[in-house]
Amino acid sequence: QVQLVESGGGLVQPGGSLRLSCAASGSIFSINTMGWFRQAPEKERELVAVAIRGGSTNYANSVKGRFTISGDFAKNLVYLQMNSLKPEDTAVYYCKALYQPAPNRYREIWGQGTPVTVSS
């Protein structure tokens, strides 16, 4: 059984920072990508940032320059450093991984989500 466990969410004032962590565990042969998505009330889930094995990263335009994703694929970990937070960053943040349970097999898995609230 493979699972993702997120941590680090909470309440922060505008302009503040938070660091989210996501750890994958279970029967994993390899992880190809690990990323963060978010879903605000009444809105669709959207991509925030993704880290790709090998070092590449991609970000949503709305977070470029403020958020930094870093993946430790040797330890099946991914982090999201969020700086200069804005009220519009308020959402539940979900970790997602594309992994291989065995060679030539691919699966996706989501974490349970961690809430982030940016408010004064």
Side-chain angles (χ1 to χ4, degrees):
Q1 187 77 8
V2 175
Q3 62 176 354
L4 298 179
V5 178
E6 302 117 327
S7 60
L11 173 64
V12 63
Q13 292 186 342
S17 299
L18 281 175
R19 187 183 190 225
L20 305 183
S21 300
C22 174
S25 63
S27 182
I28 298 171
F29 173 75
S30 177
I31 294 182
N32 298 78
T33 68
M34 295 188 79
W36 291 94
F37 291 70
R38 66 186 181 188
Q39 187 167 17
E42 309 297 326
K43 293 189 176 181
E44 298 288 323
R45 191 172 296 189
E46 62 176 2
L47 172 70
V48 177
V50 62
I52 302 167
R53 178 182 286 274
S56 297
T57 57
N58 285 309
Y59 295 91
N61 287 334
S62 59
V63 306
K64 282 181 180 177
R66 300 188 298 122
F67 291 10
T68 302
I69 189 169
S70 57
D72 184 345
F73 287 89
K75 297 182 179 180
N76 295 340
L77 296 168
V78 67
Y79 304 98
L80 185 67
Q81 178 66 43
M82 304 186 294
N83 298 328
S84 303
L85 282 160
K86 305 175 181 179
E88 51 263 44
D89 295 317
T90 295
V92 177
Y93 283 70
Y94 296 90
C95 180
K96 178 183 176 182
L98 173 65
Y99 73 99
Q100 295 178 255
N104 298 318
R105 293 178 63 190
Y106 298 85
R107 290 184 183 169
E108 290 184 344
I109 186 169
W110 291 87
Q112 79 284 356
T114 185
V116 171
T117 302
V118 184
S119 175
S120 55

